[in-house]
Amino acid sequence: MTKKRLKLLRKKEKEKRKAANRKDPRSLTVKRKKGQKFANVEERIKTKLERARIKEAKLVERLKRYEVPKIQGPEVKPHELTGEERFFMKKMAQKKSNYVPIGRRGVFGGVILNMHMHWKKHETVKVICNSSCKPGQVQEFAQEIARLSGGIPIQIIGDDTVIFYRGKNYVQPKVMSPVDTLSKKKALEKSKYEQSLETVRHFIAIAEKELELYYRHNALYGDSNNRNPGSILDGPTRKDLEESGKPVKQNNDLSCNSFPPGLSEIKASATYEDLSEAEDDSKVEDLSLSESDSEDDHLSDLDDEESRDSSSAMKTSSSAILGSSSIL
Protein backbone atom coordinates (compact mmCIF):
# COMPACT_ATOMS: atom_id res chain seq x y z
CA MET A 1 0.00 0.00 0.00
CA THR A 2 1.39 3.39 -1.03
CA LYS A 3 1.49 6.42 1.27
CA LYS A 4 -1.28 8.15 -0.66
CA ARG A 5 -3.69 5.20 -0.31
CA LEU A 6 -2.82 4.85 3.37
CA LYS A 7 -3.64 8.54 3.92
CA LEU A 8 -6.96 8.17 2.13
CA LEU A 9 -7.84 5.08 4.18
CA ARG A 10 -7.05 6.87 7.46
CA LYS A 11 -9.09 9.87 6.37
CA LYS A 12 -12.12 7.64 5.65
CA GLU A 13 -11.79 5.94 9.02
CA LYS A 14 -11.63 9.33 10.74
CA GLU A 15 -14.77 10.52 8.95
CA LYS A 16 -16.59 7.32 9.99
CA ARG A 17 -15.62 7.89 13.62
CA LYS A 18 -16.85 11.49 13.48
CA ALA A 19 -20.16 10.41 11.96
CA ALA A 20 -20.58 7.79 14.70
CA ASN A 21 -19.78 10.34 17.42
CA ARG A 22 -22.44 12.72 16.07
CA LYS A 23 -25.07 10.03 16.68
CA ASP A 24 -23.73 9.22 20.14
CA PRO A 25 -26.06 10.47 22.95
CA ARG A 26 -23.02 11.76 24.86
CA SER A 27 -22.52 14.41 22.18
CA LEU A 28 -25.79 16.08 23.29
CA THR A 29 -24.43 17.05 26.72
CA VAL A 30 -24.23 20.76 27.59
CA LYS A 31 -20.60 21.49 28.36
CA ARG A 32 -19.92 23.65 31.40
CA LYS A 33 -17.42 26.49 31.54
CA LYS A 34 -13.87 25.63 32.54
CA GLY A 35 -12.99 26.62 36.09
CA GLN A 36 -16.61 27.40 36.95
CA LYS A 37 -17.12 27.85 40.71
CA PHE A 38 -20.36 28.05 42.66
CA ALA A 39 -21.19 30.31 45.57
CA ASN A 40 -23.20 27.68 47.44
CA VAL A 41 -24.76 24.22 47.12
CA GLU A 42 -28.08 25.56 45.83
CA GLU A 43 -26.45 27.25 42.84
CA ARG A 44 -24.49 24.08 41.98
CA ILE A 45 -27.59 21.82 42.07
CA LYS A 46 -29.67 24.31 40.05
CA THR A 47 -26.98 24.54 37.36
CA LYS A 48 -26.82 20.74 37.06
CA LEU A 49 -30.61 20.53 36.87
CA GLU A 50 -30.74 23.12 34.10
CA ARG A 51 -28.13 21.27 32.04
CA ALA A 52 -29.91 17.93 32.55
CA ARG A 53 -33.26 19.35 31.44
CA ILE A 54 -31.69 20.79 28.27
CA LYS A 55 -30.23 17.36 27.49
CA GLU A 56 -33.61 15.70 28.17
CA ALA A 57 -35.33 18.01 25.67
CA LYS A 58 -32.64 17.26 23.05
CA LEU A 59 -33.00 13.50 23.53
CA VAL A 60 -36.80 13.63 23.21
CA GLU A 61 -36.43 15.64 20.01
CA ARG A 62 -33.84 13.18 18.63
CA LEU A 63 -36.05 10.15 19.41
CA LYS A 64 -38.83 11.58 17.22
CA ARG A 65 -36.67 10.79 14.16
CA TYR A 66 -37.03 7.07 14.84
CA GLU A 67 -40.82 7.03 15.03
CA VAL A 68 -42.36 4.90 12.26
CA PRO A 69 -46.08 5.11 11.32
CA LYS A 70 -47.79 1.83 12.22
CA ILE A 71 -49.43 -0.18 9.43
CA GLN A 72 -51.99 -2.89 10.09
CA GLY A 73 -50.30 -6.26 9.67
CA PRO A 74 -51.89 -9.70 9.19
CA GLU A 75 -55.09 -10.21 11.18
CA VAL A 76 -54.79 -12.22 14.38
CA LYS A 77 -57.63 -14.65 15.17
CA PRO A 78 -57.00 -16.24 18.58
CA HIS A 79 -60.55 -17.67 18.82
CA GLU A 80 -59.76 -20.32 16.17
CA LEU A 81 -57.82 -22.47 18.66
CA THR A 82 -59.69 -24.76 21.06
CA GLY A 83 -58.51 -25.52 24.60
CA GLU A 84 -57.09 -28.92 23.66
CA GLU A 85 -55.18 -27.49 20.69
CA ARG A 86 -53.76 -24.69 22.83
CA PHE A 87 -52.62 -27.19 25.48
CA PHE A 88 -50.97 -29.38 22.79
CA MET A 89 -49.14 -26.35 21.30
CA LYS A 90 -47.81 -25.33 24.72
CA LYS A 91 -46.38 -28.78 25.40
CA MET A 92 -44.87 -29.05 21.92
CA ALA A 93 -43.21 -25.61 22.18
CA GLN A 94 -41.76 -26.37 25.61
CA LYS A 95 -40.17 -29.61 24.36
CA LYS A 96 -38.59 -28.01 21.29
CA SER A 97 -35.47 -25.86 21.46
CA ASN A 98 -36.07 -23.34 18.63
CA TYR A 99 -36.26 -19.72 19.83
CA VAL A 100 -35.78 -16.11 18.73
CA PRO A 101 -33.87 -13.73 21.06
CA ILE A 102 -34.81 -10.09 21.72
CA GLY A 103 -31.86 -7.95 22.82
CA ARG A 104 -31.34 -4.28 23.57
CA ARG A 105 -32.67 -3.26 20.13
CA GLY A 106 -36.16 -4.48 21.02
CA VAL A 107 -38.62 -5.53 18.30
CA PHE A 108 -37.32 -4.64 14.83
CA GLY A 109 -37.46 -6.18 11.33
CA GLY A 110 -34.85 -8.86 12.05
CA VAL A 111 -36.91 -10.41 14.88
CA ILE A 112 -39.99 -10.84 12.64
CA LEU A 113 -37.85 -12.23 9.80
CA ASN A 114 -36.31 -14.85 12.15
CA MET A 115 -39.79 -15.89 13.34
CA HIS A 116 -40.95 -16.49 9.76
CA MET A 117 -37.79 -18.52 9.11
CA HIS A 118 -38.57 -20.74 12.12
CA TRP A 119 -42.20 -21.12 11.01
CA LYS A 120 -41.02 -22.81 7.79
CA LYS A 121 -40.43 -26.08 9.69
CA HIS A 122 -42.04 -25.53 13.11
CA GLU A 123 -45.57 -24.58 14.08
CA THR A 124 -44.46 -22.79 17.25
CA VAL A 125 -41.54 -20.60 18.26
CA LYS A 126 -40.37 -19.16 21.57
CA VAL A 127 -39.44 -15.48 21.80
CA ILE A 128 -37.00 -14.93 24.69
CA CYS A 129 -36.04 -11.50 26.04
CA ASN A 130 -32.54 -10.91 27.36
CA SER A 131 -31.62 -9.24 30.65
CA SER A 132 -32.30 -5.81 29.08
CA CYS A 133 -36.04 -6.59 29.17
CA LYS A 134 -37.80 -4.78 32.04
CA PRO A 135 -40.55 -6.39 34.12
CA GLY A 136 -43.92 -5.96 32.43
CA GLN A 137 -42.37 -5.24 29.03
CA VAL A 138 -43.02 -8.77 27.73
CA GLN A 139 -46.75 -8.03 27.29
CA GLU A 140 -45.93 -5.01 25.10
CA PHE A 141 -43.53 -7.09 23.01
CA ALA A 142 -46.16 -9.84 22.62
CA GLN A 143 -48.77 -7.37 21.31
CA GLU A 144 -46.29 -5.73 18.92
CA ILE A 145 -44.99 -9.05 17.53
CA ALA A 146 -48.53 -10.39 17.10
CA ARG A 147 -49.46 -7.26 15.09
CA LEU A 148 -46.37 -7.44 12.87
CA SER A 149 -46.08 -11.21 12.29
CA GLY A 150 -49.69 -12.37 12.42
CA GLY A 151 -48.83 -15.11 14.94
CA ILE A 152 -50.99 -16.08 17.92
CA PRO A 153 -49.47 -15.66 21.43
CA ILE A 154 -50.31 -18.90 23.26
CA GLN A 155 -48.49 -18.51 26.60
CA ILE A 156 -46.32 -16.03 28.51
CA ILE A 157 -43.77 -17.81 30.73
CA GLY A 158 -42.38 -15.65 33.52
CA ASP A 159 -41.13 -12.18 32.59
CA ASP A 160 -39.02 -13.10 29.58
CA THR A 161 -40.61 -15.79 27.33
CA VAL A 162 -43.58 -15.79 24.92
CA ILE A 163 -44.73 -18.78 22.83
CA PHE A 164 -46.19 -17.93 19.37
CA TYR A 165 -48.22 -20.19 17.09
CA ARG A 166 -48.07 -19.50 13.34
CA GLY A 167 -51.76 -20.35 12.65
CA LYS A 168 -53.57 -23.12 10.83
CA ASN A 169 -53.59 -21.58 7.36
CA TYR A 170 -50.09 -20.08 7.53
CA VAL A 171 -48.57 -18.80 4.28
CA GLN A 172 -45.10 -17.34 4.30
CA PRO A 173 -45.17 -13.69 3.12
CA LYS A 174 -42.99 -12.49 0.26
CA VAL A 175 -41.54 -9.65 2.37
CA MET A 176 -40.80 -11.28 5.73
CA SER A 177 -39.40 -8.11 7.33
CA PRO A 178 -42.29 -5.59 7.78
CA VAL A 179 -42.05 -2.12 6.28
CA ASP A 180 -43.07 -0.29 9.46
CA THR A 181 -40.06 -1.54 11.48
CA LEU A 182 -36.58 -0.14 12.01
CA SER A 183 -33.40 -1.62 10.58
CA LYS A 184 -30.81 -3.24 12.83
CA LYS A 185 -28.58 -0.14 12.85
CA LYS A 186 -31.36 2.36 13.56
CA ALA A 187 -32.85 0.13 16.26
CA LEU A 188 -29.48 0.15 18.06
CA GLU A 189 -29.25 3.96 17.83
CA LYS A 190 -32.79 4.31 19.18
CA SER A 191 -32.01 2.00 22.13
CA LYS A 192 -28.97 4.13 23.02
CA TYR A 193 -31.03 7.32 23.06
CA GLU A 194 -33.75 5.65 25.15
CA GLN A 195 -31.20 4.41 27.66
CA SER A 196 -29.62 7.87 27.89
CA LEU A 197 -33.04 9.49 28.37
CA GLU A 198 -33.87 7.09 31.21
CA THR A 199 -30.56 7.88 32.94
CA VAL A 200 -31.06 11.65 32.60
CA ARG A 201 -34.58 11.47 34.04
CA HIS A 202 -33.30 9.41 36.97
CA PHE A 203 -30.58 12.03 37.60
CA ILE A 204 -33.16 14.87 37.49
CA ALA A 205 -35.32 13.10 40.09
CA ILE A 206 -32.31 12.68 42.43
CA ALA A 207 -31.19 16.32 41.97
CA GLU A 208 -34.70 17.63 42.73
CA LYS A 209 -34.77 15.55 45.90
CA GLU A 210 -31.36 16.89 46.95
CA LEU A 211 -32.56 20.48 46.42
CA GLU A 212 -35.66 19.83 48.50
CA LEU A 213 -33.54 18.37 51.34
CA TYR A 214 -31.24 21.41 51.18
CA TYR A 215 -34.20 23.78 51.57
CA ARG A 216 -35.51 21.76 54.53
CA HIS A 217 -32.09 21.83 56.22
CA ASN A 218 -31.86 25.59 55.79
CA ALA A 219 -35.38 26.06 57.20
CA LEU A 220 -34.45 24.08 60.32
CA TYR A 221 -30.84 25.13 60.99
CA GLY A 222 -30.32 28.23 58.87
CA ASP A 223 -27.86 28.82 56.07
CA SER A 224 -24.64 26.87 56.67
CA ASN A 225 -22.53 29.49 54.84
CA ASN A 226 -23.41 32.23 57.34
CA ARG A 227 -22.99 30.06 60.44
CA ASN A 228 -19.78 29.72 62.46
CA PRO A 229 -18.68 26.05 62.48
CA GLY A 230 -17.77 26.19 66.20
CA SER A 231 -21.00 27.86 67.26
CA ILE A 232 -22.71 24.54 67.94
CA LEU A 233 -20.21 23.51 70.67
CA ASP A 234 -18.90 26.84 72.00
CA GLY A 235 -20.98 29.27 73.99
CA PRO A 236 -20.80 33.10 73.72
CA THR A 237 -17.23 34.40 73.92
CA ARG A 238 -16.01 37.44 75.86
CA LYS A 239 -15.98 39.51 72.67
CA ASP A 240 -19.63 38.63 71.90
CA LEU A 241 -20.71 39.54 75.44
CA GLU A 242 -18.88 42.87 75.25
CA GLU A 243 -20.52 43.68 71.93
CA SER A 244 -23.99 42.80 73.27
CA GLY A 245 -23.44 44.97 76.37
CA LYS A 246 -23.93 42.20 78.94
CA PRO A 247 -21.69 42.06 82.04
CA VAL A 248 -18.80 39.65 81.83
CA LYS A 249 -18.52 37.19 84.74
CA GLN A 250 -14.98 36.31 85.85
CA ASN A 251 -14.56 32.69 86.85
CA ASN A 252 -11.89 32.13 89.55
CA ASP A 253 -12.14 28.34 89.46
CA LEU A 254 -8.69 26.99 88.58
CA SER A 255 -10.12 23.82 87.08
CA CYS A 256 -12.16 25.78 84.55
CA ASN A 257 -9.65 28.52 83.60
CA SER A 258 -7.60 26.11 81.54
CA PHE A 259 -10.54 25.34 79.22
CA PRO A 260 -11.86 27.58 76.44
CA PRO A 261 -15.19 29.42 76.99
CA GLY A 262 -18.27 27.37 76.29
CA LEU A 263 -16.53 24.03 76.70
CA SER A 264 -15.09 24.76 80.19
CA GLU A 265 -18.24 23.80 82.09
CA ILE A 266 -18.68 20.61 80.06
CA LYS A 267 -15.08 19.53 80.53
CA ALA A 268 -15.04 20.49 84.22
CA SER A 269 -18.19 18.49 84.90
CA ALA A 270 -16.68 15.59 82.98
CA THR A 271 -13.49 15.69 85.09
CA TYR A 272 -15.53 15.98 88.30
CA GLU A 273 -17.57 12.92 87.28
CA ASP A 274 -14.37 11.00 86.47
CA LEU A 275 -12.88 11.88 89.89
CA SER A 276 -16.06 10.90 91.73
CA GLU A 277 -16.17 7.60 89.85
CA ALA A 278 -12.50 6.96 90.74
CA GLU A 279 -13.21 7.67 94.44
CA ASP A 280 -16.22 5.32 94.40
CA ASP A 281 -14.10 2.59 92.80
CA SER A 282 -11.37 3.04 95.47
CA LYS A 283 -13.96 2.86 98.28
CA VAL A 284 -15.43 -0.33 96.84
CA GLU A 285 -11.94 -1.83 96.59
CA ASP A 286 -11.15 -0.89 100.24
CA LEU A 287 -14.41 -2.45 101.42
CA SER A 288 -13.73 -5.64 99.51
CA LEU A 289 -10.19 -5.81 100.93
CA SER A 290 -11.42 -5.26 104.51
CA GLU A 291 -14.08 -7.93 104.09
CA SER A 292 -11.54 -10.41 102.74
CA ASP A 293 -9.16 -9.62 105.69
CA SER A 294 -11.95 -10.17 108.24
CA GLU A 295 -12.85 -13.47 106.61
CA ASP A 296 -9.21 -14.59 106.74
CA ASP A 297 -8.97 -13.67 110.47
CA HIS A 298 -12.16 -15.58 111.24
CA LEU A 299 -10.85 -18.66 109.43
CA SER A 300 -7.50 -18.48 111.30
CA ASP A 301 -9.33 -18.27 114.65
CA LEU A 302 -11.37 -21.34 113.76
CA ASP A 303 -8.20 -23.23 112.84
CA ASP A 304 -6.58 -22.31 116.20
CA GLU A 305 -9.62 -23.51 118.15
CA GLU A 306 -9.69 -26.79 116.23
CA SER A 307 -5.96 -27.35 116.93
CA ARG A 308 -6.48 -26.64 120.65
CA ASP A 309 -9.39 -29.08 120.86
CA SER A 310 -7.39 -31.78 119.14
CA SER A 311 -4.40 -31.30 121.52
CA SER A 312 -6.65 -31.48 124.62
CA ALA A 313 -8.27 -34.64 123.27
CA MET A 314 -4.86 -36.19 122.72
CA LYS A 315 -3.80 -35.32 126.29
CA THR A 316 -6.94 -36.90 127.82
CA SER A 317 -6.49 -40.03 125.76
CA SER A 318 -2.84 -40.36 126.81
CA SER A 319 -3.70 -39.86 130.51
CA ALA A 320 -6.40 -42.52 130.26
CA ILE A 321 -3.95 -44.98 128.75
CA LEU A 322 -1.40 -44.31 131.52
CA GLY A 323 -4.05 -44.83 134.24
CA SER A 324 -5.10 -48.11 132.78
CA SER A 325 -1.50 -49.31 132.61
CA SER A 326 -0.87 -48.40 136.28
CA ILE A 327 -3.97 -50.34 137.35
CA LEU A 328 -2.69 -53.38 135.50
Side-chain angles (χ1 to χ4, degrees), residues 96-113:
K96 290 184 178 180
S97 60
N98 58 318
Y99 72 96
V100 175
I102 293 180
R104 63 177 297 181
R105 292 176 177 85
V107 180
F108 65 102
V111 175
I112 310 301
L113 187 140

Side-chain angles (χ1 to χ4, degrees), residues 205-314:
I206 291 170
E208 285 174 352
K209 196 171 182 181
E210 280 183 5
L211 195 62
E212 186 182 351
L213 288 171
Y214 176 75
Y215 287 144
R216 281 187 190 175
H217 186 274
N218 283 353
L220 287 170
Y221 304 105
D223 192 1
S224 58
N225 294 324
N226 301 328
R227 190 172 67 243
N228 187 11
S231 63
I232 299 170
L233 296 174
D234 295 342
T237 58
R238 184 184 291 273
K239 189 176 180 181
D240 296 336
L241 292 171
E242 286 176 358
E243 287 177 359
S244 61
K246 292 181 180 179
V248 181
K249 291 182 181 180
Q250 292 183 355
N251 194 0
N252 297 323
D253 191 3
L254 294 173
S255 63
C256 298
N257 287 337
S258 59
F259 300 115
L263 291 173
S264 59
E265 294 178 1
I266 298 166
K267 291 186 178 180
S269 62
T271 51
Y272 178 72
E273 287 175 0
D274 294 338
L275 289 169
S276 62
E277 287 177 1
E279 288 175 0
D280 293 339
D281 293 338
S282 63
K283 284 178 183 178
V284 171
E285 288 176 359
D286 294 337
L287 286 170
S288 62
L289 287 170
S290 62
E291 286 175 358
S292 62
D293 292 339
S294 63
E295 287 177 358
D296 293 338
D297 294 338
H298 183 63
L299 290 170
S300 62
D301 293 338
L302 289 173
D303 292 337
D304 293 339
E305 288 177 0
E306 287 177 357
S307 62
R308 284 172 190 170
D309 293 338
S310 62
S311 63
S312 62
M314 289 288 290

Side-chain angles (χ1 to χ4, degrees), residues 19-25 27-28 58-70 105 107-109 144 147 179-197:
N21 289 335
R22 282 191 216 105
K23 293 177 182 178
D24 193 352
S27 64
L28 299 174
K58 285 183 177 179
L59 286 167
V60 170
E61 189 180 350
R62 189 63 65 89
L63 277 168
K64 287 179 182 177
R65 299 180 185 179
Y66 298 94
E67 290 179 0
V68 181
K70 292 182 180 180
R105 292 176 177 85
V107 180
F108 65 102
E144 187 71 13
R147 184 184 68 82
V179 182
D180 57 337
T181 53
L182 295 170
S183 64
K184 190 175 180 180
K185 187 178 178 182
K186 287 189 176 180
L188 180 61
E189 290 172 7
K190 185 185 176 182
S191 70
K192 285 181 180 178
Y193 285 122
E194 284 175 348
Q195 187 180 2
S196 182
L197 182 63

Side-chain angles (χ1 to χ4, degrees), residues 113 115-121 169-176:
L113 187 140
M115 288 179 71
H116 285 297
M117 295 294 288
H118 279 283
W119 280 339
K120 274 185 180 181
K121 294 183 179 181
N169 303 319
Y170 171 74
V171 179
Q172 196 177 57
K174 291 180 181 179
V175 180
M176 289 187 283

Side-chain angles (χ1 to χ4, degrees), residues 6-215:
L6 188 63
K7 273 188 178 181
L8 286 169
L9 185 65
R10 285 178 179 174
K11 193 176 180 181
K12 284 180 182 179
E13 286 176 357
K14 194 175 181 181
E15 286 175 358
K16 280 182 183 178
R17 284 198 300 271
K18 281 185 178 180
N21 289 335
R22 282 191 216 105
K23 293 177 182 178
D24 193 352
R26 288 175 290 185
S27 64
L28 299 174
T29 52
V30 183
K31 293 182 180 179
R32 64 169 186 165
K33 297 175 183 177
K34 288 185 179 179
Q36 186 179 5
K37 293 182 180 180
F38 305 104
N40 51 21
V41 180
E42 183 184 2
E43 188 181 345
R44 177 174 61 81
I45 295 171
K46 281 184 175 179
T47 309
K48 285 186 175 181
L49 265 172
E50 188 181 354
R51 288 168 56 200
R53 280 174 182 146
I54 291 167
K55 186 176 180 180
E56 184 187 11
K58 285 183 177 179
L59 286 167
V60 170
E61 189 180 350
R62 189 63 65 89
L63 277 168
K64 287 179 182 177
R65 299 180 185 179
Y66 298 94
E67 290 179 0
V68 181
K70 292 182 180 180
I71 303 169
Q72 181 59 41
E75 292 183 4
V76 181
K77 296 179 181 179
H79 61 273
E80 289 182 359
L81 283 176
T82 61
E84 292 177 359
E85 288 174 342
R86 191 178 287 272
F87 179 77
F88 173 73
M89 293 299 170
K90 284 179 189 178
K91 290 293 180 184
M92 189 170 60
Q94 288 171 7
K95 285 180 181 179
K96 290 184 178 180
S97 60
N98 58 318
Y99 72 96
V100 175
I102 293 180
R104 63 177 297 181
R105 292 176 177 85
V107 180
F108 65 102
V111 175
I112 310 301
L113 187 140
N114 285 338
M115 288 179 71
H116 285 297
M117 295 294 288
H118 279 283
W119 280 339
K120 274 185 180 181
K121 294 183 179 181
H122 305 282
E123 288 184 327
T124 57
V125 65
K126 283 185 283 189
V127 178
I128 300 173
C129 300
N130 291 346
S131 57
S132 59
C133 183
K134 298 172 189 173
Q137 201 173 12
V138 184
Q139 284 79 7
E140 296 176 11
F141 286 159
Q143 291 174 7
E144 187 71 13
I145 291 168
R147 184 184 68 82
L148 293 168
S149 66
I152 301 167
I154 295 171
Q155 186 185 13
I156 296 173
I157 303 168
D159 291 333
D160 59 350
T161 308
V162 189
I163 296 171
F164 280 93
Y165 173 54
R166 68 182 183 182
K168 289 180 180 178
N169 303 319
Y170 171 74
V171 179
Q172 196 177 57
K174 291 180 181 179
V175 180
M176 289 187 283
S177 181
V179 182
D180 57 337
T181 53
L182 295 170
S183 64
K184 190 175 180 180
K185 187 178 178 182
K186 287 189 176 180
L188 180 61
E189 290 172 7
K190 185 185 176 182
S191 70
K192 285 181 180 178
Y193 285 122
E194 284 175 348
Q195 187 180 2
S196 182
L197 182 63
E198 187 182 351
T199 308
V200 168
R201 282 175 176 167
H202 181 63
F203 174 78
I204 287 169
I206 291 170
E208 285 174 352
K209 196 171 182 181
E210 280 183 5
L211 195 62
E212 186 182 351
L213 288 171
Y214 176 75
Y215 287 144

